[in-house]
Amino acid sequence: MISAVQNRYDKLFDATFGRLGIAGLWDRFDRTILSSRQMLVRTDIVFALLLGLAGMLASIWAFSQTGRVPELHTIADLWMTADAPRYAENMVTTTDTTHHRTSVHPLFSILLFPFGTLLTALGADSLMAAKVLVVAAMAANVTMFSLTIRLLGLPRPLVGIFSLLFIASSAFMHWSGIVESYPFSCLSILVALFMMFRVNKAHWGWWVLVNVLTLGILITNWIFALIAMAVRLNLKQFVAITVSSFALVVCLAVIQNAIFEKAVLFFNPHTLTRETQYFQTSLAAEGLYHEGWRPSANLRSIYVTTVVGMPAYVVPEKFQRITTSNQNSTFPEGEIAPPIAAAAWVLLFLMGVWGAVRRKEMHLPMIGISLMLLFQSALHAIYGEVTSLYALNFLPLVVIVAACAWFAPLRQASVALACTVIVFGGMNNERRLQQYTDLAGCMADIELVQRLQTWEIAKDEFLLEPEEYEALKVDLHGLCNTKTPS
């Protein structure tokens, strides 16, 4: 039966794409060079697991710091508009009413719920179960990142250095200590990147798994799987796996919709169009976006703040709420670590671009990385109130580019720059973590926040009467000892 289906597909493909000549154009790229590189050995895997252990310890430490403010997981939007209470519930219950974000996270609930249920069955409370899953995801992220850059051709000591840079980054440090969807989003991206750089050709089943993970965790993440497949597969394989993977995700989404209360089907056009409410252009036009639409600030968040964190401050949000942002922050006064780390990072990234251009045998996958970055830049030039919320989606891409600095001239300078980012960036990011935590604790004591953003109230998007809201409204300028950008 399988051979009959395959024969029918071959005929259909030849009658469509074959006649148009697209297949010939697609398949003209030489993909065999990607299979002639050094393969991973057992030592590489052991080393990657040890680095993953370091990532796990870093995440546990981050949770110990954010644990000073338990309200982070009971009050909404205390941390860069993060939905921490929502995802803490989604991982352990089918009956909660907040599964509607499956509109953009198509299989998040059904993929994570079994693991959350297992942990609660073993005796963990619901929040601890969610935290354990985040810690495990962050450990896996470091392991997968180190294996990926090893496949890029970096010597093992450099793999260690750039993996430490990955851990010391703002994105890792600030999002490994709070329950959110993005640690799992980052993992799905890294799985796609690993498959793109993998030496041996993978069985089609692995590519289906990559598609299910990327599309299932976040709709826009599917682009990573599609680009990775475009780099490694011929057009006939690409089309077959794309169609079959999408069909599988649709089937799983229908099953999820039947199991989880208020879950939403991601392929419903009505629910997808609602995402336009999070466009900065739309928010600014409605007078709801205090920051103002500044694409340059968004790009800075993607390419700089992802690695070197900036101070946070309080801003107004929709539904009479307030949240934190670092969208338009400047370097903190009196600190030398942030500008040193930022300068070293920018130089390292630019060296990485040059190194990627020089690495001829890696041109095809690096074109893939460039397309992924281009897509993320275009998307987040307009989407998302606080661009740093999505930092873990950018982190693997920008650090992989930076790692290519090893292939540029003056490669020893790249090592010095990477170490500078680790030391000074790590110092800065640790200070920012403490500041973000203190700021969240301060906000949690504000009566307006308690009345509107406590999760049992916030998930119903409850609004106060105008008179009551005005009575509780607070002046955000300089609130909680923050410096609000002008």
Side-chain angles (χ1 to χ4, degrees):
M1 181 177 177
I2 295 177
S3 59
V5 173
Q6 184 172 350
N7 289 335
R8 182 169 295 183
Y9 169 70
D10 289 344
K11 291 179 181 179
L12 180 62
F13 181 89
D14 293 338
T16 52
F17 294 99
R19 286 185 178 180
L20 294 173
I22 299 174
L25 182 63
W26 181 289
D27 297 339
R28 67 184 296 179
F29 293 103
D30 181 16
R31 293 173 171 84
T32 58
I33 191 171
L34 298 175
S35 301
S36 61
R37 294 169 292 124
Q38 180 180 350
M39 295 178 62
L40 294 173
V41 297
R42 183 177 300 174
T43 306
D44 296 319
I45 296 171
V46 172
F47 189 50
L49 290 172
L50 289 175
L51 290 168
L53 177 62
M56 181 187 75
L57 294 175
S59 182
I60 292 172
W61 172 81
F63 268 117
S64 74
Q65 302 307 300
T66 59
R68 294 189 286 112
V69 184
E71 294 88 352
L72 272 172
H73 295 99
T74 59
I75 296 178
D77 299 332
L78 293 183
W79 195 279
M80 307 284 181
T81 72
D83 283 337
R86 180 195 310 279
Y87 292 106
E89 287 185 349
N90 286 177
M91 295 181 200
V92 296
T93 178
T94 62
T95 57
D96 190 77
T97 60
T98 62
H99 288 283
H100 68 271
R101 289 304 286 169
T102 51
S103 59
V104 290
H105 302 280
L107 301 178
F108 185 88
S109 297
I110 200 171
L111 290 176
L112 274 297
F113 175 75
F115 299 101
T117 301
L118 175 62
L119 290 170
T120 54
L122 293 174
D125 61 59
S126 58
L127 179 57
M128 180 55 67
K131 288 181 177 180
V132 169
L133 290 177
V134 170
V135 169
M138 297 309 288
N141 283 330
V142 178
T143 296
M144 292 303 299
F145 174 79
S146 62
L147 291 174
T148 301
I149 60 173
R150 179 62 172 154
L151 290 172
L152 185 62
L154 263 67
R156 206 169 287 125
L158 268 294
V159 170
I161 289 174
F162 280 97
S163 295
L164 290 177
L165 192 155
F166 187 89
I167 294 171
S169 69
S170 167
F172 190 99
M173 198 175 292
H174 299 160
W175 292 104
S176 63
I178 187 168
V179 176
E180 244 289 352
S181 65
Y182 293 101
F184 309 98
S185 176
C186 181
L187 181 57
S188 73
I189 291 169
L190 279 162
V191 170
L193 293 174
F194 174 80
M195 290 291 287
M196 185 172 72
F197 283 99
R198 195 170 184 264
V199 175
N200 291 340
K201 289 185 177 180
H203 186 271
W204 64 268
W206 288 110
W207 283 113
V208 171
L209 178 61
V210 171
N211 278 268
V212 171
L213 283 176
T214 50
L215 176 56
I217 293 295
L218 182 62
I219 283 180
T220 53
N221 277 9
W222 196 21
I223 194 69
F224 293 95
L226 295 177
I227 292 175
M229 288 197 301
V231 168
R232 296 306 302 263
L233 305 177
N234 62 46
L235 185 59
K236 184 177 289 188
Q237 295 169 320
F238 176 89
V239 173
I241 293 173
T242 299
V243 173
S244 58
S245 298
F246 185 79
L248 178 57
V249 172
V250 168
C251 292
L252 290 172
V254 171
I255 295 171
Q256 176 182 256
N257 198 56
I259 297 173
F260 293 86
E261 185 179 339
K262 302 294 184 181
V264 176
L265 296 173
F266 74 97
F267 48 87
N268 183 337
H270 175 69
T271 58
L272 286 176
T273 55
R274 290 186 61 190
E275 289 303 301
T276 57
Q277 67 181 307
Y278 299 109
F279 284 6
Q280 292 181 9
T281 47
S282 300
L283 292 167
E286 296 174 20
L288 298 175
Y289 193 50
H290 171 78
E291 306 281 41
W293 181 48
R294 300 178 184 174
S296 60
N298 299 358
L299 294 175
R300 187 193 70 163
S301 287
I302 294 172
Y303 291 98
V304 180
T305 310
T306 293
V307 175
V308 182
M310 295 291 176
Y313 50 92
V314 185
V315 294
E317 203 194 2
K318 296 184 302 179
F319 307 120
Q320 301 175 339
R321 302 178 192 173
I322 59 176
T323 188
T324 60
S325 174
N326 61 4
Q327 194 80 359
N328 295 307
S329 293
T330 56
F331 292 127
E333 296 180 3
E335 294 186 23
I336 62 169
I340 291 175
W345 166 250
V346 170
L347 288 173
L348 182 64
F349 185 83
L350 293 175
M351 282 188 68
V353 172
W354 180 231
V357 172
R358 285 169 51 90
R359 186 76 166 166
K360 293 183 179 180
E361 62 269 32
M362 281 289 150
H363 274 183
L364 201 53
M366 292 313 298
I367 289 173
I369 292 286
S370 300
L371 291 173
M372 293 173 187
L373 272 173
L374 182 62
F375 173 81
Q376 290 288 306
S377 300
L379 173 65
H380 291 289
I382 60 171
Y383 183 84
E385 296 170 76
V386 182
T387 308
S388 288
L389 173 66
Y390 313 96
L392 282 175
N393 287 352
F394 318 137
L395 182 63
L397 301 175
V398 296
V399 182
I400 284 175
V401 172
C404 289
W406 177 252
F407 306 118
L410 303 175
R411 57 172 47 176
Q412 298 303 327
S414 69
V415 178
L417 288 171
C419 291
T420 301
V421 175
I422 293 170
V423 174
F424 289 94
M427 290 169 53
N428 169 73
N429 295 334
E430 188 275 334
R431 288 177 185 148
R432 301 289 78 77
L433 177 65
Q434 303 303 334
Q435 190 240 336
Y436 294 177
T437 305
D438 292 341
L439 182 53
C442 174
M443 288 174 58
D445 291 332
I446 297 173
E447 185 178 357
L448 177 67
V449 173
Q450 295 171 352
R451 289 288 302 277
L452 284 172
Q453 295 175 223
T454 299
W455 185 236
E456 291 304 316
I457 298 172
K459 64 184 177 182
D460 295 325
E461 297 180 354
F462 172 78
L463 295 178
L464 296 171
E465 293 296 329
E467 299 81 8
E468 190 176 6
Y469 173 69
E470 288 299 324
L472 294 174
K473 192 175 179 181
V474 293
D475 181 10
L476 302 185
H477 187 76
L479 184 66
C480 299
N481 297 316
T482 60
K483 183 178 180 181
T484 306
S486 56

